[in-house]
Amino acid sequence: MALCVPPHHGPPAPLLPTAGHGVGAASRHLHLGLLRPLAVPQRLLLGPGPSNVPPRILAAGGRQLLGHMHPEMLQVMDEIKAGIQYAFQTRNRLTLAVSGTGHCAMEAALLNLLERGDTVLVAVNGIWGQRAADIAGRLGADVRELQKPPGEYFSLRDIQEGLARHKPSVLFITHGESSTGVLQPLQGLGELCHRHGCLLLVDAVASLGGAPILMDQQEIDVLYSGSQKVLSAPPGSAPISFSERAREKMLRRKTKPPSFYLDMGWLANYWGCDDKPRMYHHTAPINSFLSLREGLAMLAELGLESSWERHRANCTLLCQGLRELGLELFVKEEAARLPTITTVRVPEGYAWQEITAFLMNEHGLEIAGGLGPSVGKVLRIGLMGYNSTKDNVDRVLGALRDALQRCRRSRL
Amino acid sequence: MALCVPPHHGPPAPLLPTAGHGVGAASRHLHLGLLRPLAVPQRLLLGPGPSNVPPRILAAGGRQLLGHMHPEMLQVMDEIKAGIQYAFQTRNRLTLAVSGTGHCAMEAALLNLLERGDTVLVAVNGIWGQRAADIAGRLGADVRELQKPPGEYFSLRDIQEGLARHKPSVLFITHGESSTGVLQPLQGLGELCHRHGCLLLVDAVASLGGAPILMDQQEIDVLYSGSQKVLSAPPGSAPISFSERAREKMLRRKTKPPSFYLDMGWLANYWGCDDKPRMYHHTAPINSFLSLREGLAMLAELGLESSWERHRANCTLLCQGLRELGLELFVKEEAARLPTITTVRVPEGYAWQEITAFLMNEHGLEIAGGLGPSVGKVLRIGLMGYNSTKDNVDRVLGALRDALQRCRRSRL
C-alpha cells in the first residue's frame, strides 16, 4: 500500500516509498509547514475578542488530562456551575457550559427552545441578531425581525410593539452588540416579555462581567456567554443558563431537538442539573473546562461589582483619549456604550484596514474593523477582563496616535 | 442592587452586602469550592479516551492566544488541514477540524449530508451506531438500521443486502467501535456503496492512526475522528473530510443545514477550502487548534505505518498478557480486534466496578467498564497514541493482576 500526502495545491507528493505495513520514515519525505516548529507570536489582543489569557488560566489549560467522568472533573464542573450562577446572578439549577464557543451556545439556546413553527421575534441591531435569525430560520421557526440601525438600541416601547404585533413565544436580544458597541438596557424587558407570554433570550457573549446583568432579578429566561471575553479564558466553552419557565417550555417539546450534542436534557444530566445519576453524554473539552473554571474563579475573587467598575472606568478613560485624538465615538449616548468594546467612526482620509494593519505590524496590537452591518464604518477596541487595564488604554491610544500620523491620506 | 451567589442546594447566601455599583469584596463572602486552588491529580488514562497528552502538546495548548483571523492562525489551520489529509490519506480539499469534540463531528457529518426525508442506513453493532441513528432521526431522516450483536462486525454481504433492501443515500458505519473493541473491515465497502448510489460515512474516532484507513483508496465519502485518542491532544476539536461526491450532495441541498456553527459551506470558507476570500465565521477554539496541530505533526513525524505497527504490537502484547491472567478476550477473531481499545469479558466472581475502582484508587490508572450495549459485559483498556507503550502494557497488566487477587468474591 503506497501512502501519500497531498501538498496544498500541487501535484501529489509520495510520502512513503514502501508498500505494505512496514515501518516507514514519513518525516523524511514530508515538506510541509506542519513539520516546522509551532510559532506563536506575542500579541496584545485589544479587538472584540478573544482577549489575552492570564498566566494562571493558561497554566490550568495546560494541565494533564482527567477523564470526563472522573469525580475530580465532575467537581470542577460543579464549581463551573457555581461560578456561572454567580456571574449570571441566578439560582437556576439548569446552568452549565456547552462544549463549544459562544456561537455554539447561541445554537444550544435556540435549538432547545424552538420547535418547527414556533414564532420567534429577533431584535436585530447588529450581526448577532442577524445570526440568531439565520439559525432560527434553519430550525424551521417562524422568524420575525425587529430592526434598528447599527449603533442604536431597543426601547421598551419598541419591544412592546413587537410583542403585541408578532406574539412570539421567544424574544432574542443582544445585551452587548460587539459589532456596533451598543449596550442594550435590560431593565423591565423580562417582565414585559412575561406579560406577553413570551420567553426572554439574551446574548451576553461580549458583556458578561463587563456590565451589570442580573438574570433572576431581570427575569431573563435564557442567558449565555463565551469564555474568551471578560472571563479571559481561551475560546472553547460557553456558559448558559435556563429559567424554570424556559425549562418548562423545553419539557413540553413534541419533538427532540435536532442535536444530540447540545440536547439540554442530556447535558442537564451530565452536569448534575437533574435528580438522576450523572451519565456519560460526550467527551467534554476537559482543558477548556479547567480554563473556564479559573476564569470564573478570578471573576468571583475580584467580585462582579469591581469587574463592572473596572470596565466602566477603563472604557471612560479610553473614550476620553479617543476624543482627544479627534476621533468620533460611534455610539452617541454614553449610557448605551458597551464598556467592553468601544466603537469609533473610521476617521475621514483614512482606510480602516491601514490603521488595523499598522497597529498589528508596528505595535503588535490588535484592534478590529467593523463586522456585518458596521463593516467600513467603525474601528472596534476591546478592553476585556485581563486586558481591561489603564496601561492598555495608554498603549492603544499611543498606537492610534502614531497610526493617525502615519496612515493619513490613504491610497484607498 | 444586592448581589448573591446561590450555594449548590441550600438557602441563598448573600454575596455582597452593599447595594449599587460600588466596589465590593465578593471573595470574603464566597464559600465555594470554586475559590479553592484548582487540583488536578495525575492519572494514567488507559480507558477508551481521552489519552494522556504529551508535554509538547500540552505546551502548545498553553500558549498565549492569537486572533482567530490572524495570518499565523490561518497558517496553523492550513497545517492542520495538511495533517488531516495525511492522517486520513486523502486529497479532499474539503478537509478541516470542527470546533467541538468527536460527537460534534458526527453531528456535522450527518446534518450536512442529510435532509429531511433522506434515507440513511446505520450499521449498529455498538453505541456509535445507536447514536448516529438517534441524531439522524432528530434531523428528520428516514432511518433504517442494520443490526449485529456487540462484538461482531459487518460483512460485505451484510452491507450489500442492507443497501439492496433499504436503498439509502448514506450508509453510516463505525471503523473502531470503542464500546465493544471491534475493528470494522473497510475494504470494498466504498465501492459497494457507490455501486448502489449511496455515500459511505465512517466514524474513525477511536481508530484513526491506530489502524489503517485510506480515505481515497477505500472510497470513503465522509470520515471524521477526534483529537483525544491516538492524536493525544485534549478533546475539543475534531478532524473531518468530505469527498467530491459528498460535497456534491451537500451542494444539491434544498434546505440549509439546521446549524450555522457546523454549516460546511461556511466552515469550508473559513478553512480556505473554497476559492473565496476567507471570512469570519465563528471564534475558533484557538488553543485546541494549536494542540491538534501538534498532535497531527507528531503523527506525521512518526509516520502512519509506524503508528499502526506500534498500536498493533502493543495490543498484541496486551492481549497475550490478558490471556495469561486467565481473562477472556471479548472479540474472538484476531483481525477484528481494534488495536487501540481492547475488550475483555468481566471475569466470573468479580464486579467490574470494583476492578475499575481498585485500579483508579490503588494504581492511579483508568480502565473502563462497558458502554451502551456492552455495559456489565466487558472491561475496556485503551492504548492510544502517547499511551501506546510497552511500559503501559506492563503497568496495566500488573495492576490487573493485583486487582484479580484483591477484588475476588465480590459482594455484588
Side-chain angles (χ1 to χ4, degrees):
Chain A
M1 164 175 42
L3 301 186
C4 57
V5 158
H8 238 147
H9 292 292
L15 174 65
L16 288 170
T18 54
H21 284 216
V23 176
S27 60
R28 286 204 307 272
H29 300 270
L30 271 166
H31 298 285
L32 287 166
L34 182 62
L35 296 182
R36 288 195 296 265
L38 174 66
V40 182
Q42 198 72 18
R43 296 255 161 78
L44 181 57
L45 302 175
L46 301 185
S51 313
N52 289 96
V53 179
R56 170 175 164 187
I57 298 182
L58 283 177
R63 299 288 288 265
Q64 186 51 266
L65 288 195
L66 284 175
H68 45 284
M69 294 298 290
H70 291 191
E72 297 85 355
M73 197 59 212
L74 299 181
Q75 166 75 18
V76 164
M77 290 163 70
D78 286 344
E79 290 162 7
I80 288 173
K81 196 154 65 167
I84 299 172
Q85 286 171 328
Y86 172 65
F88 283 11
Q89 288 292 298
T90 183
R91 290 191 178 85
N92 291 334
R93 194 170 175 199
L94 185 41
T95 299
L96 50 82
V98 298
S99 300
T101 61
H103 247 91
C104 193
M106 182 192 276
E107 293 209 351
L110 290 165
L111 72 82
N112 280 285
L113 274 188
L114 298 176
E115 282 192 281
R116 299 185 78 77
D118 274 354
T119 302
V120 58
L121 180 61
V122 181
V124 181
N125 60 342
I127 197 171
W128 306 115
Q130 290 175 351
R131 290 273 166 107
D134 175 305
I135 294 167
R138 289 167 187 258
L139 295 168
D142 178 5
V143 185
R144 315 291 176 89
E145 295 188 16
L146 212 54
Q147 299 275 352
K148 278 276 173 183
E152 297 185 17
Y153 61 87
F154 295 87
S155 68
L156 281 176
R157 167 169 294 200
D158 296 331
I159 300 295
Q160 180 154 30
E161 284 172 7
L163 294 173
R165 184 166 164 206
H166 299 289
K167 304 198 185 345
S169 59
V170 175
L171 170 74
F172 174 95
I173 202 161
T174 310
H175 186 222
E177 228 319 332
S178 64
S179 67
T180 62
V182 167
L183 182 73
Q184 170 67 44
L186 295 175
Q187 213 57 44
L189 216 49
E191 229 180 295
L192 179 63
C193 284
H194 294 152
R195 277 206 306 275
H196 284 78
C198 172
L199 297 176
L200 175 60
L201 162 55
V202 175
D203 177 311
V205 172
S207 58
L208 180 74
I213 187 160
L214 305 163
M215 185 171 191
D216 288 357
Q217 191 185 309
Q218 292 171 335
E219 297 190 22
I220 299 167
D221 294 297
V222 186
L223 183 63
Y224 65 85
S225 189
S227 56
Q228 76 277 12
K229 312 269 181 176
V230 170
L231 293 176
S232 301
S237 64
I240 193 165
S241 179
F242 294 81
S243 73
E244 195 49 34
R245 274 190 188 88
R247 213 176 67 85
E248 280 163 12
K249 174 157 172 39
M250 296 192 288
L251 287 174
R252 285 195 308 269
R253 287 186 73 99
K254 294 188 194 76
T255 56
K256 287 184 190 177
S259 167
F260 178 83
Y261 190 63
L262 299 175
D263 183 321
M264 220 32 78
W266 279 87
L267 284 172
N269 174 268
Y270 177 45
W271 280 83
C273 309
D274 61 18
D275 294 314
K276 292 173 241 162
R278 288 162 86 148
M279 274 168 53
Y280 165 70
H281 170 247
H282 72 290
T283 302
I286 310 297
N287 303 56
S288 297
F289 284 177
L290 298 179
S291 306
L292 177 62
R293 187 235 186 239
E294 292 301 279
L296 289 163
M298 287 174 76
L299 179 61
E301 288 165 15
L302 173 64
L304 264 179
E305 291 190 316
S306 302
S307 182
W308 298 334
E309 171 56 23
R310 177 201 280 187
H311 285 86
R312 196 200 56 73
N314 288 320
C315 175
T316 302
L317 273 180
L318 175 67
C319 288
Q320 202 175 306
L322 291 168
R323 273 203 220 87
E324 284 165 14
L325 290 176
L327 293 166
E328 187 190 344
L329 296 172
F330 184 65
V331 180
K332 296 288 156 234
E333 197 181 328
E334 191 178 343
R337 279 183 212 133
L338 187 55
T340 47
I341 297 166
T342 299
T343 42
V344 288
R345 289 191 182 276
V346 179
E348 266 187 55
Y350 292 87
W352 68 267
Q353 300 95 327
E354 290 190 9
I355 296 178
T356 55
F358 178 85
L359 261 60
M360 180 72 90
N361 298 333
E362 302 296 319
H363 293 265
L365 187 159
E366 174 185 52
I367 70 166
L371 182 66
S374 66
V375 165
K377 293 187 181 135
V378 299
L379 293 168
R380 297 184 295 158
I381 304 161
L383 293 168
M384 292 186 273
Y386 183 56
N387 279 352
S388 175
T389 64
K390 188 174 174 314
D391 266 8
N392 284 342
V393 173
D394 293 341
R395 202 165 147 192
V396 71
L397 287 173
L400 274 171
R401 184 177 301 113
D402 197 12
L404 291 175
Q405 283 164 5
R406 307 266 297 275
C407 303
R408 197 189 291 269
R409 281 198 286 270
S410 150
R411 293 173 308 278
L412 292 189
Chain B
M1 164 175 40
L3 301 186
C4 58
V5 156
H8 240 147
H9 292 293
L15 175 64
L16 288 170
T18 55
H21 284 217
V23 176
S27 59
R28 285 203 307 272
H29 301 269
L30 271 166
H31 297 286
L32 288 166
L34 182 62
L35 296 181
R36 289 195 296 265
L38 174 65
V40 182
Q42 198 71 17
R43 296 255 162 77
L44 180 58
L45 302 175
L46 301 185
S51 311
N52 289 97
V53 178
R56 170 174 163 188
I57 298 182
L58 282 178
R63 299 289 287 265
Q64 186 51 266
L65 288 194
L66 284 174
H68 45 283
M69 294 298 290
H70 291 191
E72 297 85 355
M73 197 59 214
L74 299 180
Q75 166 75 18
V76 164
M77 290 162 69
D78 286 344
E79 290 162 6
I80 287 173
K81 194 153 66 168
I84 299 172
Q85 286 171 328
Y86 171 64
F88 283 11
Q89 289 292 297
T90 184
R91 291 192 177 82
N92 291 334
R93 195 171 175 198
L94 186 43
T95 298
L96 50 82
V98 299
S99 300
T101 61
H103 247 91
C104 193
M106 182 191 277
E107 294 210 349
L110 290 165
L111 72 83
N112 280 285
L113 273 188
L114 298 176
E115 283 191 280
R116 298 184 81 76
D118 274 354
T119 302
V120 59
L121 180 61
V122 180
V124 181
N125 60 341
I127 198 172
W128 306 116
Q130 292 175 350
R131 290 273 166 107
D134 176 305
I135 295 167
R138 289 167 186 259
L139 296 167
D142 177 4
V143 185
R144 315 290 175 90
E145 295 188 16
L146 213 54
Q147 299 275 353
K148 277 276 173 184
E152 297 186 16
Y153 61 86
F154 296 87
S155 68
L156 281 175
R157 168 169 293 198
D158 295 331
I159 301 295
Q160 180 154 32
E161 285 172 7
L163 294 173
R165 184 168 163 204
H166 299 290
K167 303 196 183 355
S169 58
V170 175
L171 170 72
F172 173 95
I173 201 162
T174 309
H175 186 224
E177 228 317 333
S178 65
S179 67
T180 62
V182 167
L183 183 73
Q184 170 66 44
L186 295 174
Q187 214 56 44
L189 217 50
E191 229 180 293
L192 179 63
C193 284
H194 295 151
R195 277 206 307 274
H196 284 77
C198 172
L199 297 176
L200 174 60
L201 162 55
V202 175
D203 177 310
V205 172
S207 59
L208 180 74
I213 188 160
L214 306 162
M215 186 171 190
D216 288 357
Q217 192 186 308
Q218 293 170 333
E219 298 191 20
I220 299 167
D221 293 297
V222 186
L223 183 63
Y224 64 86
S225 190
S227 55
Q228 77 278 11
K229 312 268 183 175
V230 171
L231 293 176
S232 301
S237 64
I240 194 165
S241 178
F242 294 82
S243 73
E244 195 50 33
R245 274 189 188 89
R247 214 177 67 85
E248 280 163 11
K249 174 156 172 40
M250 295 191 289
L251 287 174
R252 285 194 308 268
R253 287 185 73 100
K254 293 188 192 76
T255 55
K256 286 184 191 177
S259 167
F260 178 83
Y261 191 62
L262 299 175
D263 183 322
M264 220 31 78
W266 280 88
L267 284 172
N269 173 268
Y270 177 44
W271 279 83
C273 308
D274 61 18
D275 294 316
K276 292 171 241 164
R278 288 162 88 147
M279 272 168 52
Y280 166 71
H281 170 247
H282 71 291
T283 302
I286 309 298
N287 303 56
S288 297
F289 284 177
L290 298 179
S291 306
L292 177 62
R293 185 231 187 244
E294 292 301 279
L296 289 163
M298 288 175 76
L299 179 62
E301 288 165 15
L302 172 64
L304 264 179
E305 290 190 317
S306 302
S307 182
W308 298 335
E309 171 56 22
R310 177 201 280 186
H311 285 85
R312 197 200 55 74
N314 288 320
C315 175
T316 302
L317 273 181
L318 175 67
C319 288
Q320 203 175 305
L322 291 168
R323 272 201 221 87
E324 285 166 15
L325 289 177
L327 293 166
E328 187 190 345
L329 297 171
F330 184 66
V331 181
K332 297 288 157 231
E333 197 181 326
E334 191 178 342
R337 279 183 211 135
L338 187 56
T340 47
I341 297 166
T342 299
T343 42
V344 287
R345 288 192 184 277
V346 179
E348 266 186 55
Y350 293 87
W352 68 268
Q353 301 95 327
E354 290 190 9
I355 297 178
T356 56
F358 178 86
L359 262 59
M360 180 72 91
N361 298 332
E362 302 296 320
H363 293 265
L365 189 160
E366 175 185 51
I367 70 167
L371 182 66
S374 66
V375 165
K377 293 189 180 131
V378 300
L379 293 168
R380 298 184 296 158
I381 303 161
L383 293 168
M384 293 186 274
Y386 183 57
N387 280 352
S388 175
T389 65
K390 188 175 173 314
D391 265 8
N392 284 343
V393 173
D394 293 341
R395 204 166 145 190
V396 71
L397 287 173
L400 274 171
R401 184 177 301 112
D402 196 12
L404 290 175
Q405 283 164 5
R406 307 265 297 272
C407 303
R408 197 189 292 268
R409 281 198 288 270
S410 150
R411 292 172 308 279
L412 291 190

